[in-house]
């Protein structure tokens, strides 16, 4: 199971949903298809993508993957690899968010997203 | 008023009802120690933090029964008492928090005594031991309180004003001594701090590790994403509308209906902020450095289009 956060707010807690084990496996398969390096993602105020969290050895949840702005950032401890999102991982995660019940939130903070959804 | 001992993970937790006299005494204890109240509806922690003793939850039967509210509330609230993770955070907040932690453990011991024998029988000694441990662990945390900010608060003054007429107007009084720390983004962008602290933590220069929310510390979080609501919640945490004495200068913006955002002033009119769990930074939404005339009032704030104003965080202010 993976916890995914819709990265949209700066102050209040962001909405979250969980990926079922099958979804988590699919996510890892998709990550294996990324190969083109990209420049680092630069956060801004407002919607900036989705983050996938994992629980660390100390029991606290930390983001290890960020998808947004056409980039996929994978963290390996203190280092990170950045790839171009050539497989529309962001679109897939947004669809998963929709299926998990975050559709009304997406409609409000990402007006027009439905036109882009596959 | 009902009390739940938050202890088990599988079986139902023990719950009992306080008598009228006991409810009045609890209300008095809570009124005398505001940080003790943590409205459960705001989610003190996203999930149970540990197995075993997790404190008590006191439920109102009627809105306002536990603590009088300055604003009408539709639904009954609840408060957490002696939750170990929250106590640890409070103990790190300030040296005066030692008294509040001690009061809260006292209240927890009093709550155990209100439980019918049939409800907590056999667990009393174990709970007493948990509370003893909690009191001594919190005391140790208090002794390291000064590590939770960027720099020691020596009261020195950087003295720079922002290059913004409105800001100069509000910081121009003789009694106003802005305490502007040099920008130290590296302090915030470390693995142990960055993911757990947000714009409100950055603005108040207080590491709570909770993605702090205006008003949560005082038990009355904002109810809407409007300047007036978020400002009022922050004022309950200690924020000031006027500059008097040594203060941090902060700015508040609102994404109407959705969110709030804070910035903090540094020397020479430069500003920095922290977007959620992302690294602290000093650029606006057009990636321009916020300084040299660019301020939170006139920079690109993205959807946070409503600028509320400049405010003042006393050096002792802490957030949760």
């Amino acid at each position: 199971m993976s916890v995914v956060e819709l990265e949209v707010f700066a102050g209040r807690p962001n909405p979250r949903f969980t990926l079922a084990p099958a979804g988590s496996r699919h996510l890892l398969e998709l990550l294996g298809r990324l190969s083109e390096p990209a420049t680092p993602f630069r956060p801004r105020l407002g919607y900036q993508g989705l983050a996938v969290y994992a629980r660390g050895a100390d029991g606290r949840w930390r983001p290890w993957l960020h998808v947004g702005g056409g980039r996929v950032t994978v963290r390996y401890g203190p280092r990170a690899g950045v790839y171009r999102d050539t497989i529309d991982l962001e679109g897939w995660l947004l669809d998963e968010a929709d299926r998990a019940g975050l559709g009304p939130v997406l409609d409000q903070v990402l007006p027009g997203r439905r036109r882009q959804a596959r | 008023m009902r009390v739940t001992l938050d202890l088990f993970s599988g079986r139902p937790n023990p719950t009992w009802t306080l008598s009228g006299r006991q409810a009045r005494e609890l209300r008095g204890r809570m009124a005398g120690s505001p940080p003790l109240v943590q409205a459960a509806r705001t989610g003190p922690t996203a999930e149970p933090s540990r197995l075993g003793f997790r404190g008590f939850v006191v439920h109102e039967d009627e809105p306002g029964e536990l603590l009088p509210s300055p604003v009408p509330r539709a639904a009954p609230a609840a408060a957490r008492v002696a939750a170990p993770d929250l106590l640890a955070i409070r103990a790190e907040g300030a040296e005066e928090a030692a008294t509040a932690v001690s009061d809260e453990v006292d209240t927890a011991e009093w709550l155990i005594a209100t439980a019918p024998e049939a409800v907590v029988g056999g667990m009393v000694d174990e709970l007493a031991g948990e509370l003893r441990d909690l009191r001594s662990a919190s005391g140790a945390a208090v002794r390291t309180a000064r590590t939770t900010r960027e720099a020691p608060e020596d009261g020195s003054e950087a003295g720079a004003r922002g290059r913004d007429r409105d800001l100069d107007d509000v910081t121009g009084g003789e009694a106003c001594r802005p305490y502007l720390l040099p920008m130290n983004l590296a302090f915030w962008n470390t693995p142990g701090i960055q993911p757990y602290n947000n714009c409100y933590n950055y603005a108040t220069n207080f590491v709570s590790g909770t993605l702090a929310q205006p008003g949560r510390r005082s038990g009355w979080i904002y109810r809407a994403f409007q300047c007036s609501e978020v400002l009022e919640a922050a004022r309950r945490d200690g924020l000031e509308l006027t500059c008097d004495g040594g203060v941090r200068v902060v700015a508040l913006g609102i994404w109407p209906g959705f969110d709030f955002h804070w910035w903090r002033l540094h020397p020479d009119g430069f500003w920095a902020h922290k977007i959620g769990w992302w690294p602290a930074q000093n650029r606006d939404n057009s990636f321009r450095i916020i300084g040299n005339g660019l301020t939170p009032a006139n920079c690109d704030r993205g959807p946070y289009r409503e600028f509320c104003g400049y405010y003042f965080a006393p050096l002792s202010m802490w957030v949760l």
Side-chain angles (χ1 to χ4, degrees):
Chain A
M1 186 187 78
S2 301
V3 173
V4 184
E5 192 172 89
L6 186 64
E7 296 295 307
V8 64
F9 301 128
R12 68 188 274 195
N14 281 310
R16 288 182 168 191
F17 65 97
T18 55
L19 271 182
S24 299
R25 282 195 298 274
H26 186 57
L27 174 63
L28 293 177
E29 287 168 18
L30 292 174
L31 286 177
R33 297 186 206 164
L34 297 171
S35 59
E36 293 183 34
T39 54
F41 175 79
R42 301 171 76 184
R44 303 197 310 170
L45 289 167
Y47 171 76
Q48 46 199 342
L50 303 103
V52 183
Y53 280 68
R55 197 192 284 269
D58 60 359
R60 305 184 84 175
W61 291 90
R62 290 188 180 83
W64 66 274
L65 175 72
H66 176 260
V67 183
R71 298 169 177 82
V72 178
T73 307
V74 188
R75 298 194 179 283
Y76 312 94
R79 291 188 296 182
V82 189
Y83 304 91
R84 277 188 58 215
D85 185 5
T86 49
I87 54 175
D88 195 17
L89 192 54
E90 183 177 3
W92 180 76
L93 280 172
L94 285 172
D95 287 348
E96 290 296 314
D98 211 344
R99 270 194 281 277
L102 295 187
V105 180
L106 292 172
D107 289 344
Q108 288 184 305
V109 300
L110 277 178
R113 183 196 81 85
R114 288 194 181 283
R115 288 196 297 276
Q116 298 161 17
R118 297 163 299 174
Chain B
M1 213 179 288
R2 288 160 295 122
V3 180
T4 298
L5 171 59
D6 192 4
L7 181 67
F8 300 125
S9 60
R11 62 186 273 199
N13 281 316
T15 296
W16 64 97
T17 301
L18 296 180
S19 69
R21 184 184 58 77
Q22 289 169 334
R24 280 193 297 279
E25 176 160 355
L26 179 61
R27 201 159 40 234
R29 285 171 175 269
M30 289 190 159
S33 183
L36 176 144
V37 177
Q38 176 69 40
R41 67 197 162 89
T42 66
T45 53
E47 55 205 78
S49 56
R50 63 181 214 168
L51 291 170
F53 178 70
R54 295 180 294 273
F56 297 85
V57 181
V58 183
H59 309 267
E60 287 182 341
D61 291 325
E62 299 292 333
E65 190 181 22
L66 192 57
L67 265 189
S69 168
V71 289
R73 280 188 285 122
R80 274 197 180 270
V81 177
D85 46 356
L86 293 175
L87 272 189
I89 291 166
R90 285 176 196 146
E92 289 169 8
E95 290 183 43
E96 65 265 28
T99 307
V101 168
S102 177
D103 287 351
E104 189 159 335
V105 175
D106 287 349
T107 299
E109 288 170 346
W110 176 83
L111 279 172
I112 293 174
T114 67
E117 172 66 20
V119 174
V120 295
M123 291 186 282
V124 172
D125 289 345
E126 195 171 328
L127 288 170
E130 289 272 6
L131 292 173
R132 263 197 311 276
D133 292 348
L134 203 51
R135 199 188 293 272
S136 71
S138 297
V142 165
R143 287 189 287 278
T144 60
R146 289 182 182 275
T147 63
T148 59
R149 297 187 196 268
E150 278 172 31
E153 310 292 11
D154 62 4
S156 63
E157 183 184 350
R161 303 265 190 231
R163 295 173 189 174
D164 175 286
R165 197 178 59 186
D166 291 339
L167 179 59
D168 286 346
D169 286 348
V170 293
T171 59
E174 282 184 15
C176 180
R177 296 196 311 277
Y179 182 70
L180 308 180
L181 280 175
M183 205 176 288
N184 182 9
L185 302 180
F187 171 85
W188 292 89
N189 299 341
T190 54
I193 292 179
Q194 185 196 307
Y196 314 112
N197 295 279
N198 63 4
C199 58
Y200 195 42
N201 293 105
Y202 188 86
T204 55
N205 188 21
F206 187 81
V207 176
S208 69
T210 59
L211 296 173
Q213 300 295 301
R216 181 154 68 188
R217 174 195 148 190
S218 50
W220 303 107
I221 204 167
Y222 52 83
R223 296 175 308 168
F225 295 104
Q226 303 166 349
C227 288
S228 57
E229 277 283 335
V230 177
L231 186 58
E232 180 57 28
R235 290 191 68 191
R236 291 177 189 283
D237 291 341
L239 193 78
E240 301 283 352
L241 297 181
T242 54
C243 181
D244 188 5
V247 290
R248 294 176 223 291
V249 181
V250 302
L252 172 63
I254 292 285
W255 180 357
F258 288 101
D259 196 16
F260 58 85
H261 191 55
W262 298 87
W263 294 258
R264 171 155 55 103
L265 180 62
H266 292 280
D268 302 317
F270 288 93
W271 293 81
H273 60 135
K274 192 170 183 304
I275 302 174
W277 60 268
W278 290 91
Q281 56 157 317
N282 61 342
R283 292 178 184 269
D284 73 356
N285 257 33
S286 297
F287 302 120
R288 298 172 298 180
I289 288 174
I290 312 174
N292 289 321
L294 204 59
T295 68
N298 61 16
C299 72
D300 180 357
R301 299 188 303 273
Y304 295 74
R305 57 183 180 270
E306 196 169 327
F307 182 71
C308 306
Y310 298 111
Y311 307 103
F312 306 95
L315 301 186
S316 61
M317 180 175 170
W318 60 283
V319 297
L320 193 60

